[in-house]
Amino acid sequence: MAKANNFYSEILEANRLLTESNEKLGLFESALAYNRNILHIKDSIFTIEKSLAETKTADNIQTKFMKDEIGRQEAKIEELNQSKNRTEITAILTAAFLIVISILAISLYRNNQIKLKTNDLLHTKNNELQAARDAAVMAMEAKTNFLSTVSHELRTPLYAVTGLTHLLLEENPSENQKEHLKSLKFSGDYLLNFINDILQINKIDADKLEALQIDFNLKKILSEVINSLHQSAKANKTKIVLEFDEDIPSHLLGDPLKLSQVFINLIGNGIKFTKGGQVTVIAKLAKKVEENLTIYFEIKDNGIGIDKERQLTIFDSFEQGSIQINREYGGTGLGLTIVKSLLGLFGSKIGLKSEIGKGSSFFFELDLKSKDDLIDDIPFEITEVEYDFAGLHILVVEDNKINQVITKKMLNKKEITCDIANNGLEAVAMVRKTDYDCILMDIHMPGISGEEATIEIRKFNRLVPIIALTAISLDDSLESFYAAGCNDVVTKPFKPEVFYQKIGENIFDVKKKIEA
Ligand code: ADP
């Protein structure tokens, strides 16, 4: 059974038992044969075990080789995996990059589109605004030109009203007539101031004014303004006191005409609203760095004062203290507006301190430049000079017939004789022939203007005083009259006192200077 089933250990055991039993039985040949069987079987088993061991070894070697191979393959796979990862990352990054770039490009494109649209919109708005601005500028220009023309046209008849009233008042009117004439004069003067103020504001609004840099003497300017207001101060029994800091250099650079206007308005108001009191004009050197000066100005009075509420508005156009004040003191409500605008032109701002019943103080600082300081001391004195006009011979250059009559009458009143030239050319010819004491030159005339006629006259006569009489219009500039050779300018319509004063100053004071 063991043989049939190849059970070697049972076969071996059976052969070993047979060997032992045959040996004990003395059957040595059989015992040897069974022993040989044992050896044979053992050999076979050895061979089998050996081949099994070899196979095992070979298997082991193969397994090891395969393990190694698997390891190598795994390493390769790992490597491949890694490189695959890298490629993937690169691919992802590239994709992300491309997406970002595309988003950027899209947003740039959209931005651009929006920009273009906004630009278009801005362009349209800009055009609209420009058109609106042009329209506003044109409307403003139309307004200023209209105002300028209207006030200009008003001046000629006004000149007749004020001039004739003055003449009538001097021709011994009856008491009754005197009252009416005084009212007429008051109304005429009021209209005259009003028109001049409107023209001035008109000029400021039209930006036709600019601050000049002219050589001037501040003390002289202040003295002249105070002198010109002396009459009204006297009528109000008010004293004008000038406190002038002598440290202020006598030669300054600035715009004396506009400065005078500021002072005339402020000192004029001080006098107007102060009865039996005092108006003090202060000019003080506040700072001096080389030729750069800051001068502090104050015009204070002890008159009626201005209440707190009104202090905020009185610098606005047509604003006055109150209806009562206007009734009692008159005025147009434009004076302080002009002052504020003119000071604005100099980069300065006006301040105000006032208490009702106690008085008012208007103050501001001005930055001016000093010129090389020459000793030119002008004493401050209120001069009320009575000139003796009798015997003077003057040339009146004027195209308007009514004005000719009035001017002639006003001159005759002071025993001045005069010739009349109807236009510029006639005037030049007459000055060549006759030696006049003075020429009153209208500026706006048909043919050559007064300015051109003055230039012609100055070519052969440098001495005769020429006073320009002009209704200053929008485009006129006082500076150009002086540049043409005029000695002085009187703005039309003028007050008779100013008219005589200017003639006297220019004939006698200039003569005095030339003689000296
Ligand atoms: P007006 O021509 O009416 O004087 P202004 O613009 O010069 O116009 O002044 C405006 C108002 O300010 C005046 O009506 C007056 O009520 C007030 N005012 C100006 N200056 C003084 C002053 N020195 N004292 C009192 N009130 C003043």
Side-chain angles (χ1 to χ4, degrees), residues 187-222:
S187 306
D189 284 346
Y190 170 81
L191 262 179
L192 190 149
N193 283 335
F194 188 60
I195 288 174
N196 281 339
D197 283 356
I198 291 222
L199 261 177
Q200 180 75 25
I201 294 219
N202 204 25
K203 258 189 134 168
I204 293 172
D205 280 351
D207 280 338
K208 291 275 182 183
L209 287 189
E210 52 181 300
L212 304 171
Q213 292 286 314
I214 299 175
D215 199 359
F216 76 105
N217 182 306
L218 182 63
K219 195 173 180 186
K220 187 164 169 242
I221 292 286
L222 283 170

Side-chain angles (χ1 to χ4, degrees), residues 53 136 150 250 262 280 337 391 406 470 475:
V150 167
S250 53
V262 168
T280 314
T337 313
I406 296 166
T470 174
D475 295 310

Side-chain angles (χ1 to χ4, degrees), residues 197 265-266 269-274 299 301 303-306 314-316 319-322 325-326 330-338 354 359-362:
D197 283 356
N265 276 305
L266 291 177
N269 273 349
I271 294 168
K272 188 161 104 180
F273 296 106
T274 309
I299 290 94
D301 61 61
I304 62 169
I306 306 161
I314 54 162
F315 291 100
D316 298 339
E319 279 295 334
Q320 298 182 306
S322 66
I325 287 180
N326 179 251
T332 58
L334 290 173
L336 289 177
T337 313
I338 293 175
S354 183
S360 318
S361 145
F362 291 86

Side-chain angles (χ1 to χ4, degrees), residues 166 389 410 413-414 496-504:
H166 176 78
F389 293 107
M410 282 174 75
K413 269 262 158 271
K414 297 281 176 187
E497 311 87 61
V498 177
F499 180 65
Y500 294 132
Q501 173 82 14
K502 290 276 181 189
I503 295 175

Side-chain angles (χ1 to χ4, degrees), residues 37-56:
N37 278 352
I38 288 172
L39 285 173
H40 184 69
I41 289 165
K42 274 191 177 171
D43 273 356
S44 311
I45 287 172
F46 176 76
T47 313
I48 288 167
E49 277 183 347
K50 193 182 155 205
S51 75
L52 275 172
E54 277 173 358
T55 313
K56 207 176 168 185

Side-chain angles (χ1 to χ4, degrees), residues 123-174:
H123 222 73
T124 327
K125 279 274 165 241
N126 225 15
N127 285 344
E128 280 173 17
L129 281 176
Q130 228 154 19
R133 199 202 60 184
D134 289 349
V137 168
M138 262 165 66
M140 185 80 184
E141 268 172 18
K143 187 203 91 181
T144 25
N145 286 336
F146 170 76
L147 270 177
S148 170
T149 315
V150 167
S151 25
H152 232 84
E153 290 306 312
L154 281 174
R155 284 178 189 227
T156 314
L158 198 56
Y159 182 58
V161 172
T162 50
L164 288 173
T165 314
H166 176 78
L167 292 173
L168 284 172
L169 267 169
E170 300 232 316
E171 284 172 7
N172 293 328
S174 69

